[in-house]
Each structure stands twice: as C-alpha cells, then as structure tokens.
Amino acid sequence: WTQNRYALSRRLWQALYVMNEIKNYHVKKNLLATFVVIILFLILFSYPVIKVKWHQSNPIQFNKNEWLSSEISNNNTSYLRLKMASYLISNNELLNKTEQQITSMLGKPQNHSSITGPVYWLSPLGLDSMWLQITYKNGVVSNAQIISD
C-alpha cells in the first residue's frame, strides 16, 4: 500500500507539473502575441513623429524656383519644401524679414482654418500636412516653425 501511495503521489505531481507547463506555454504564447501587437502599434503610430524629426537632419539649401515649382506640382512624394523650410529655420534666414520680403521669397501664404497666421504648405504627413507657420511682430518675422495640422 505504501508503494502504491508513493507511485500515485508521484503520478499526481507529474500531472500537476505537466499541467503547469501547458499553462506556462499558453501564458508565454499570449505574452508574446501581446508584445508583438504593442510593438506594431508603436511603430505604426510613431511613424509621423519620426518623419517630423527626419527633415531636421536632412535640410536642403533654399532655392526660390524649386520652392515655388514644388507648390505648383504638389508632388506628395517630395519633401523638398519641408527640407528647405527646415534649412531656413535652422539658419535663421526668415527672422527679421518683413512680410513683403517673405512673400517675395516664399510666395503668397495659404489660408488654413485651424492655424493662426500665415502658413505655407510643406508636405503630407500621414492624414495630416506639415506647414511652415510665420509669426510677425512689429512688422517683421519674430518666429517661424514647422507644425502639423
């Protein structure tokens, strides 16, 4: 009887161990699936943020003809205006210019219902767009920044 109890007890512990391993397998599998979903979610929604910062590391020297022609073509695959705007801002080339000088340089600003002040369309950004926003104080540019709508 003692030997049978020992064998029964051993089989019970083995069964519990196997059940625990099966449970751990499913927990690990669910954790892995959750981890993959979280990573994909982060990649998908961080893409616009990465793209916004990308232009700062790849500025292109401003060229008036290319700036104006890229507005007309409105080529969604080109980020030329975004890179040029980044160059203008990083080199402070817009500050202290008059509204007339800015219009001569960048063309006529666009109107945007949700953005205050004169803005220039730069590029698409997912479902949004990137804009160059100009702020004037005492008749000259006091601030220029790249924003999204």
Side-chain angles (χ1 to χ4, degrees):
W1 166 250
T2 308
Q3 209 172 21
N4 286 340
R5 243 178 42 184
Y6 174 75
L8 184 62
S9 175
R10 187 173 169 193
R11 288 205 185 265
L12 183 61
W13 281 111
Q14 285 175 340
L16 288 173
Y17 177 78
V18 168
M19 287 174 51
N20 192 36
E21 286 299 310
I22 291 171
K23 180 182 163 191
N24 286 342
Y25 170 76
H26 289 296
V27 168
K28 288 176 186 175
K29 186 177 168 185
N30 288 341
L31 283 174
L32 180 63
T34 303
F35 179 73
V36 168
V37 168
I38 289 171
I39 294 299
L40 290 174
F41 180 80
L42 289 174
I43 290 170
L44 179 67
F45 289 100
S46 66
Y47 174 72
V49 175
I50 293 168
K51 189 183 264 188
V52 168
K53 300 300 178 189
W54 162 80
H55 72 274
Q56 294 174 347
S57 63
N58 295 311
I60 295 176
Q61 187 169 3
F62 179 77
N63 179 305
K64 181 179 177 178
N65 293 332
E66 288 181 15
W67 174 275
L68 296 174
S69 67
S70 67
E71 177 188 29
I72 294 167
S73 68
N74 194 11
N75 182 357
N76 288 345
T77 60
S78 173
Y79 298 98
L80 184 69
R81 287 175 69 121
L82 180 61
K83 294 177 188 178
M84 285 186 190
S86 182
Y87 176 86
L88 292 171
I89 292 170
S90 64
N91 291 304
N92 295 320
E93 293 197 19
L94 300 174
L95 294 179
N96 299 317
K97 291 197 183 299
T98 65
E99 189 171 351
Q100 185 178 20
Q101 289 173 311
I102 294 295
T103 303
S104 171
M105 183 178 182
L106 304 176
K108 185 178 177 186
Q110 290 90 6
N111 294 323
H112 194 285
S113 59
S114 65
I115 302 175
T116 309
V119 292
Y120 295 87
W121 180 85
L122 299 176
S123 72
L125 178 70
L127 298 175
D128 296 329
S129 291
M130 299 298 294
W131 298 84
L132 172 63
Q133 181 184 36
I134 307 287
T135 306
Y136 293 98
K137 185 175 181 180
N138 298 327
V140 295
V141 176
S142 62
N143 187 35
Q145 62 183 348
I146 295 173
I147 61 172
S148 67
D149 60 358

